Amino acid sequence: MLVAAGASIGVALLVVAVWLAARLPGSRAVSDVATLVAAFGAAAAGAYAARAGSGRVRRGWALLAAGSAVWAVGQLSWTLRRLAGGAAVPHDAITAGLLIGSAALGIAGVLALPVHRLERGEGPRLALDVLLVGAALGVAGWALIIAPARDEGWAMVRDFTLPYAVAAVLTLAVTVLVAARAGGRWLVPVLLACAGLALRGLGRLGVVGLDLRDRYTTGGLLDLCWIAGFLLLAAAALWPPARPVPGARVAPAGVAERTTRARVLLPYLPAAVALVAAAVAGPGLRGTGLVVGSLAVLLLLLARQVVTALDNAAFAAEETRMAYSDPLTGLGNRALLAAEVARAQRQARGGERLSLLLLDLDGFKAVNDSLGHDAGDRLLVRLAERLVATVGPEDVVARLGGDEFAVLVDAPTPGAGLRTARRLLDALSAPVEFAGRTVRVTASIGVVEQFGGEPGDVLRDADVAMYAAKSAGKACVRQFEPAMRRAVVAKAELEADLRHALERAEFSLRFQPVVDLDTREVRGAEALVRWNHPRRGLLAPNAFVPLAEEVGLVGALDRWVLDEACRVAAGWQSLRPGVTISVNVTADRFASTDLVGAVADALADTGLPPQCLTLELTETALVADAEATISRLGALGALGVQVAIDDFGTGYSSLAYLHRLPASILKIDKSFVEGLGTNAESTALVRVILGLAETFGLRTVAEGVETESQRALLRALGCTTAQGYLFAPPLEQGELEALLHGPERGVGAARLRPAEDALAAERPPEPLAEPPLTVGDDTPAEQAEEPAARGVGPARLRLLPDPAEVARTGTTDALDPAP
């Protein structure tokens, strides 16, 4: 519909243009009617746009609509006076006031439309552009229109020719500047409105020029200027602004560049026209006014160039400041630090040292997580101020990003860097009253003191020392040593090798048997990954798994281990059906959304029965996100896979979630097993863990069993299965399959019992005589005085056998007194 309406208007305008160009009969009436229709149409369209808009948009279109309506009234007055008096160009105060007032409303309206916002300090330059464009258009109008009719000076004022010309010049000046600043969503409507007003202004100047020569009559082609001008204003009011692009806050680079170029160049075009017009004016037309106007244009051009040069210098200085400063704290940034290090190295003389400190805040992440990033930013500003207050006045303090800072010490004496680092350590560790609470943030500081070298080398060495301080326990200072660099180089080489280890098939699995503590038979095995490094030989997991987690390769490694372990364990089922395989899952891998799918794929691809696969997860991984953990474990349980809680008791307490976690097995950490029988705390912890497992119906596996006494005590306490060097170290696939291939029997040193013990084991056991419970000095319990306070209930009626006696006799039965 809009297309049809536009086409109809275009055809009508073409007909009017042909009519006026050919001066057909009634051309004056056609011109008057077309102008009135166009003006009232622009007024109606502007009123519609004002009603639909708000704020600046509403004010702008309301003023433009009023300007069009006032022009229509002035045009009607013009037509009526011409028809009444018969004059070709009637001039009277009412008509002139209406037409000039329409120009003023149009100027106010286009200035109110949404254009590019003024930046800081841009107001004076805009005012200078207004003066320059106005003066230039005034000179051009003087040279082309006023000067030829200089003898008609009073007539120009009397017939309102001069006010018409001034209004037209101001309209052109404003529209040029507004068009130069247009941009964004309102680019097209603003440009159309400026074009409509400019066309009307040019038409008015043409009327003034022809009128001064008594050559203007209505009904000619010149009348198309306001007809087309009003149509452009109507189109501008009806043209919808561009849709905003989600997330886009700045114009694309090309659009911004074109807008800036237009803003710079457009004010010069009227000046060029003015100077050319003044130059080509005949000798008789170059009066004092034209000379003064031309001189004014030249001075304004010079002033604009000066302002532009000053703006460019200020912009360059601001760009330099931004390039070398941190926007949050106002400190220098990494680029400034590199420049200052290079300068200090150039100025160093003789034995002078360069001291550089690199600081990383230790507890800052917790502040961000608990108080939010805005609060964290404010805390960084406070700590930056404390840094500046602690160092010397000539020292350079920079923020390198995040919570990492650097200090270039302006003191060439030996030890200056370490002394400054200790002062900073004390200053930063002091509490900060912040956000209504006391916050303590320490720092790990690396110090490098060098005589020379490249700036990048100094920064790298300081970074190495800082990470050494982090590894040493944080809140400390470490000075760079060459050995630190060698360690970093070795780590980088290991990382490079690790990235290609999977594709080169350098990983392999070892399998440590999990045995029944009563029968010593192999019930399963734990898969342990090894790296067959081409230069360093066989590497244990602790040599590369933390690095894989750090560089984001642990997911691929875990996937390979899972697939390979399932493939191998599926082959074991023909040797001993039901034997299980345990696979460790890192916290990062457990948090991955594709873990359940990967387990399902591995089972499907290898044919391993789900109940033969156990996934071992640490407490830390389980309590990181309790609800997500429970959901994910439920999905694994639905597959039929068993879940073991590894290293139970060594990490965060998951006791609050233990009754909700769909786990099958608790694994007792080696650190507790080592102290069995020799460390009361370890023994008590093992007893508690086994009690929890019994309460929640979980099976138990003890890790790191290395002695017969440990095995015996674990049996006495109720543990069912274990693994460790007492039975077997991690074995290659063939070695474990050899164990599974033979008859079921005990494995390891624990099975090497005397023959008589083996024969005795075949006979039914005789009941053990219950020894009397003793207290302190072996006094029978029933004769001892009851202590004032003691535990009650069945839990306390569990007596551990003597470890030495168990080791000597092999008797492992727990002694539970009768109730």
Side-chain angles (χ1 to χ4, degrees), residues 668 672-673 676 682-691 714 717:
I668 304 171
F672 301 145
V673 175
L676 275 178
S682 295
T683 305
L685 282 171
V686 172
R687 186 197 301 272
V688 169
I689 293 173
L690 290 169
L714 285 168
L717 290 172

Side-chain angles (χ1 to χ4, degrees), residues 74-393:
Q75 177 66 31
L76 187 59
S77 172
W78 173 298
T79 302
L80 292 176
R81 283 185 59 82
R82 180 176 57 79
L83 293 175
V89 184
H91 298 286
D92 65 283
I94 295 176
T95 302
L98 289 171
L99 297 181
I100 294 173
S102 172
L105 289 171
I107 290 173
V110 80
L111 287 174
L113 289 179
V115 293
H116 180 75
R117 293 182 179 272
L118 287 178
E119 299 175 0
R120 186 177 180 181
E122 198 174 1
R125 186 168 68 246
L126 179 61
L128 189 60
D129 285 345
V130 171
L131 290 176
L132 174 60
V133 173
L137 292 175
V139 168
W142 188 281
L144 300 175
I145 299 172
I146 306 300
R150 61 184 183 277
D151 295 334
E152 303 292 334
W154 169 245
M156 291 171 59
V157 176
R158 181 193 64 203
D159 295 337
F160 303 101
T161 303
L162 187 60
Y164 286 149
V166 172
V169 167
L170 288 177
T171 300
L172 288 171
V174 170
T175 53
V176 167
L177 294 175
V178 170
R181 299 179 57 78
R185 299 177 54 212
W186 292 91
L187 175 63
V188 174
V190 170
L191 289 181
L192 287 174
C194 288
L197 291 177
L199 198 56
R200 285 167 46 189
L202 289 173
R204 179 52 59 188
L205 284 177
V207 168
V208 169
L210 293 175
D211 189 31
L212 289 175
R213 296 170 177 79
D214 293 326
R215 294 170 55 186
Y216 175 71
T217 57
T218 58
L221 276 176
L222 190 59
D223 294 356
L224 286 175
C225 289
W226 27 86
I227 297 174
F230 283 120
L231 290 177
L232 287 173
L233 282 174
L238 298 177
W239 193 286
R243 292 182 179 180
V245 179
R249 300 193 173 201
V250 296
V255 175
E257 183 179 352
R258 290 194 297 271
T259 302
T260 302
R261 191 184 303 119
R263 196 178 307 152
V264 172
L265 295 179
L266 277 180
Y268 288 100
L269 297 179
V273 171
L275 295 178
V276 170
V280 300
L285 301 179
R286 294 173 185 168
T288 304
L290 190 59
V291 173
V292 171
S294 300
L295 183 60
V297 171
L298 289 174
L299 291 176
L300 288 171
L301 278 173
L302 179 61
R304 194 182 195 280
Q305 288 301 106
V306 171
V307 170
T308 301
L310 293 175
D311 285 346
N312 289 340
F315 178 76
E318 180 66 13
E319 286 289 306
T320 301
R321 186 193 68 79
M322 292 178 64
Y324 286 98
S325 67
D326 173 56
L328 176 63
T329 62
L331 300 176
N333 59 10
R334 187 179 294 272
L336 175 69
L337 180 67
E340 289 294 329
V341 168
R343 179 192 58 80
Q345 288 175 326
R346 289 194 302 269
Q347 295 178 354
R349 300 182 303 274
E352 293 181 350
R353 293 172 179 260
L354 175 70
S355 298
L356 179 65
L357 283 60
L358 223 60
L359 304 84
D360 189 83
L361 303 181
D362 295 327
F364 183 71
K365 184 178 184 299
V367 175
N368 259 349
D369 293 342
S370 59
L371 300 181
H373 289 278
D374 290 340
D377 288 346
R378 294 197 300 273
L379 179 60
L380 283 176
V381 173
R382 294 274 297 276
L383 295 176
E385 294 170 352
R386 185 176 289 185
L387 283 174
V388 174
T390 304
V391 302

